[in-house]
DNA sequence: AGCCGAATGAACCATACCGTACACATCAAA
DNA sequence: TTTGATGTGTACGGTATGGTTCATTCGGCT
């Protein structure tokens, strides 16, 4: 997954080599929800989907904001963040190519159920609420697919509640890395320890210690925000059962 | 809310005075989802609902079991429990008169999304899957109500994920007590520290310390499994913002 | 009356994690 | 080349919670 320098010729707002690559490769639909649809529905949607890069820190929807689009990631990670009164924040749930942002739409609500922020850069397909409704009405498979994802979202949430109560920081960090890996095309992605600590509600120092351990064990390697998964099986060994449970309930299985 | 001794004349399988009381009073539908329906739908359902007591420890559905009924609590608390490989378990989410057990049905799945266990005794209305489907097809308000609850369930789950990451044991215990209080008719209910510790994944000793504190502060009182809420406002003061957020998203608001 | 189980309080030490602070290396911009 | 920002390692003490065990009290059953 090494990036050639010529990619930088196409730098976008996203600004990193990572997103530059997506400007090149970023037209392919990889989102599993979209790909699970019947050909007619896919054809219908392909004409209406707009693909564009998502960059770290991009806010897809503010908390409670009107949901104007459904956003289907093809690569990258988007998180629903909880913001507490004391200023602290944590991830409620994360979304990648196995799902989409905008379940509220399916649930008959027009307002975002949390602040959605891009945590790992990639690219996503956007569909306007009108086009979504049209597809929703027209194709049974669209209705089914959205319900199916809603269900797996609930599974992920339930698992996370339990995981956050019972499992160690290391288990949760590795679980998050595994999920991220599943959502990226290669073994390498851009992610700082700072970001991981924000997402999981840990100190950066805690994340740092955990990562050092994984580095020493040869499980991952990293350097100033560039992470590489070296030994996926070993990484799973450090994670909790929650990883596999969530995976099994998802479209990535 | 004192229980008179004559209640014990009607002791049921549930075996406590609490459930005996419900055998007497347990016919009134108090479930907010049911009560939110239009009169026609309510009439349709009343003829098909079966009301009966739920006792502590009753397993409504085993994890992954076929969901044969929707269960609408009128009083009491039912929890979805997560069971880990090492034998530990915690609550994923709890349900009372503001919701129902069997969201999986709405999500197009026939299998339970977790083991559902009664934590606080009460009584509930049961509806067969066939009757539910009939009502679902016949009344728009039924579809809407189930979607509305699904959404508030997701809100509760999201809040719990964050809460379990960021908030103290005391905040979570008091939040759980407040939610339970909201789901009961009186200020008194039957609940052991042991049960609370199981639900929240804490040591009983931890819960014990917290409860002593609340007792000393005059916020609650308790004696061998009988809890009384003495000062609700003060109790809210000990809980985190999550309590009110979940409440505001629910039908109890 | 006596017994046993259930519910609670309390003690011990262990440890995982936090809050904070600082030091260092690397990269990018000037 | 310098400078500043960023990403990371690490160290300090503090605290919340866990694991375990024991004692006590109360209530219900025989």
């Amino acid at each position: 997954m090494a990036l050639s320098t010529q990619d930088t010729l196409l730098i976008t707002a996203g600004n990193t080599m990572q997103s530059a690559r997506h400007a090149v490769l970023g037209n392919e639909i990889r989102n599993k929800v979209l790909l699970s649809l019947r050909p007619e529905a896919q054809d219908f949607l392909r004409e209406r989907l707009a693909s564009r890069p998502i960059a770290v820190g991009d806010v897809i929807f503010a908390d409670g904001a009107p949901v104007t689009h459904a956003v289907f990631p093809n690569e990258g990670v988007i998180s629903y963040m909880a913001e507490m009164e004391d200023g602290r924040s944590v991830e409620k749930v994360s979304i990648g190519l196995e799902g989409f942002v905008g379940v509220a739409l399916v649930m008959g609500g027009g307002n975002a159920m949390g602040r959605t922020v891009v945590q790992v850069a990639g690219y996503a397909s956007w569909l306007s609420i009108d086009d979504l409704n049209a597809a929703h009405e027209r194709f049974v498979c669209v209705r089914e697919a959205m319900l199916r994802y809603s269900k797996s979202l609930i599974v992920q949430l339930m698992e996370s509640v339990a995981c956050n109560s019972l499992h160690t920081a290391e288990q949760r960090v590795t679980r998050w890395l595994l999920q991220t890996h599943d959502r990226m095309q290669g073994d390498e992605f851009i992610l700082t320890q700072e970001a991981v600590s924000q997402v999981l509600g840990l100190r950066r120092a805690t994340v740092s210690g955990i990562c050092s351990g994984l580095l020493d064990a040869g499980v991952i390697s990293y350097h100033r925000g560039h992470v590489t998964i070296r030994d996926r099986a070993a990484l799973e060994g450090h994670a909790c059962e929650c990883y596999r449970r969530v995976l099994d309930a998802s479209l990535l299985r």
Side-chain angles (χ1 to χ4, degrees), chain A:
Chain A
M1 293 305 304
L3 307 175
S4 71
T5 47
Q6 72 189 33
D7 285 326
T8 57
L9 295 175
L10 281 166
I11 280 187
T12 68
N15 174 14
T16 64
M17 290 199 296
Q18 199 75 352
S19 58
R21 195 183 97 234
H22 297 132
V24 180
L25 307 178
N27 291 321
E28 191 196 350
I29 289 185
R30 303 188 71 247
N31 183 280
K32 299 290 182 182
V33 176
L34 295 175
L35 294 179
S36 76
L37 300 174
R38 296 169 59 90
E40 315 88 82
Q42 283 195 44
D43 291 344
F44 178 88
L45 289 177
R46 268 174 209 278
E47 292 173 13
R48 292 162 175 84
L49 285 168
S51 194
R52 64 180 170 93
I54 50 178
V56 176
D58 281 359
V59 175
I60 309 293
F61 294 116
D63 189 12
V67 180
T68 57
H69 292 77
V71 182
F72 299 84
N74 296 298
E75 191 177 16
V77 179
I78 299 174
S79 296
Y80 276 85
M81 298 300 291
E83 327 262 337
M84 295 298 166
E85 285 161 4
D86 64 5
R88 288 187 298 174
S89 63
V90 231
E91 179 188 87
K92 297 164 163 177
V93 70
S94 62
I95 293 174
L97 79 170
E98 82 290 349
F100 62 96
V101 177
V103 243
L105 294 174
V106 189
M107 298 285 153
N111 286 17
M113 303 180 71
R115 178 181 157 92
T116 32
V117 184
V118 176
Q119 300 291 351
V120 182
Y123 65 104
S125 300
W126 297 58
L127 186 68
S128 78
I129 181 169
D130 291 338
D131 289 337
L132 179 75
N133 284 335
H136 195 269
E137 211 162 288
R138 192 144 155 186
F139 302 102
V140 186
C141 63
V142 170
R143 292 195 284 280
E144 286 172 348
M146 303 199 108
L147 271 186
R148 203 181 317 126
Y149 174 62
S150 302
K151 195 177 173 186
S152 82
L153 181 74
I154 292 180
V155 170
Q156 192 190 335
L157 280 163
M158 285 187 168
E159 207 62 43
S160 295
V161 172
C163 190
N164 283 351
S165 287
L166 295 179
H167 296 146
T168 64
E170 186 187 24
Q171 289 175 311
R172 294 191 288 133
V173 168
T174 50
R175 174 156 91 93
W176 206 86
L177 288 177
L178 285 166
Q179 287 193 152
T180 301
H181 189 211
D182 292 341
R183 289 161 171 163
M184 303 301 293
Q185 296 206 43
D187 295 332
E188 198 182 330
F189 43 86
I190 292 185
L191 180 68
T192 64
Q193 297 181 358
E194 171 73 26
V196 174
S197 76
Q198 299 271 341
V199 157
L200 298 179
L202 301 168
R203 281 181 321 152
R204 190 187 53 71
T206 301
V207 176
S208 180
I210 291 165
C211 290
S212 307
L214 295 172
L215 184 64
D216 291 346
V219 179
I220 63 174
S221 61
Y222 56 90
H223 179 69
R224 293 183 69 78
H226 294 252
V227 180
T228 308
I229 306 296
R230 293 281 175 203
D231 184 345
R232 202 167 187 300
L235 196 54
E236 286 198 44
H238 287 264
C240 46
E241 16 176 345
C242 302
Y243 167 66
R244 193 140 283 282
R245 292 230 184 99
V246 170
L247 182 67
D248 286 344
S250 83
L251 273 179
L252 291 175
R253 179 190 32 85

